[in-house]
Amino acid sequence: MAVLRGDCVLTLLRDDRPDIPWPNFWDLPGGGREGTELPFETAARELREELGITLPDTRVFYHVTQIGPKDLPVHFFAALWDALPVDQITLGSEGQDWRLMPVAEFLDRSDVIPHLQTRLRLALTQL
């Protein structure tokens, strides 16, 4: 999920462990579905677990479903949240750090998960 605040996007620096995909890369909050969760419920739960904040669904301006690894659907959401409560963000049990990163920087860095850069670019075309 891409949470945009002004010209920045909320990012996470993945753990630096060899047993995970994309170690030590910048990532966006997200993860896999639990039980019978709906796609937005999954994205919102992951955001709460990873950064301690609750995103109102009314902030979402973009949602796309694509086929991901193992031919499973991947849902990508983008939300505008200019009043994002930065003082309430707390790093969960995954990741080394979080940052409100300028969107242009996120899209240009070589240490960002490439398919997330592509997905964010597509979302930005809807603004």
Side-chain angles (χ1 to χ4, degrees):
M1 171 180 290
V3 178
L4 302 168
R5 180 177 188 241
D7 64 349
C8 293
V9 62
L10 186 58
T11 62
L12 286 163
L13 181 59
R14 293 178 60 81
D15 290 319
D16 191 10
R17 298 182 358 222
D19 62 322
I20 63 170
W22 305 102
N24 210 38
F25 267 62
W26 287 97
D27 195 357
L28 298 175
R33 184 176 87 162
E34 292 183 359
T36 59
E37 287 178 325
L38 296 173
F40 179 76
E41 291 171 336
T42 299
R45 176 187 47 77
E46 288 286 343
L47 184 60
R48 276 191 314 276
E49 290 177 359
E50 294 176 355
L51 294 168
I53 54 176
T54 301
L55 176 73
D57 62 355
T58 56
R59 301 282 178 205
V60 173
F61 71 90
Y62 179 80
H63 171 218
V64 67
T65 305
Q66 300 172 325
I67 299 302
K70 302 178 187 175
D71 292 327
L72 296 173
V74 174
H75 295 269
F76 183 79
F77 293 88
L80 296 174
W81 199 0
D82 286 335
L84 173 68
V86 176
D87 60 332
Q88 295 177 20
I89 295 175
T90 56
L91 192 61
S93 61
E94 297 177 11
Q96 302 176 65
D97 200 3
W98 69 270
R99 180 174 166 205
L100 271 173
M101 184 181 294
V103 169
E105 179 181 341
F106 182 85
L107 295 174
D108 193 49
R109 290 178 72 117
S110 61
D111 61 346
V112 168
I113 298 173
H115 59 267
L116 295 179
Q117 291 169 313
T118 300
R119 290 178 185 155
L120 180 56
R121 278 188 184 95
L122 288 172
L124 294 172
T125 66
Q126 300 305 302
L127 289 177

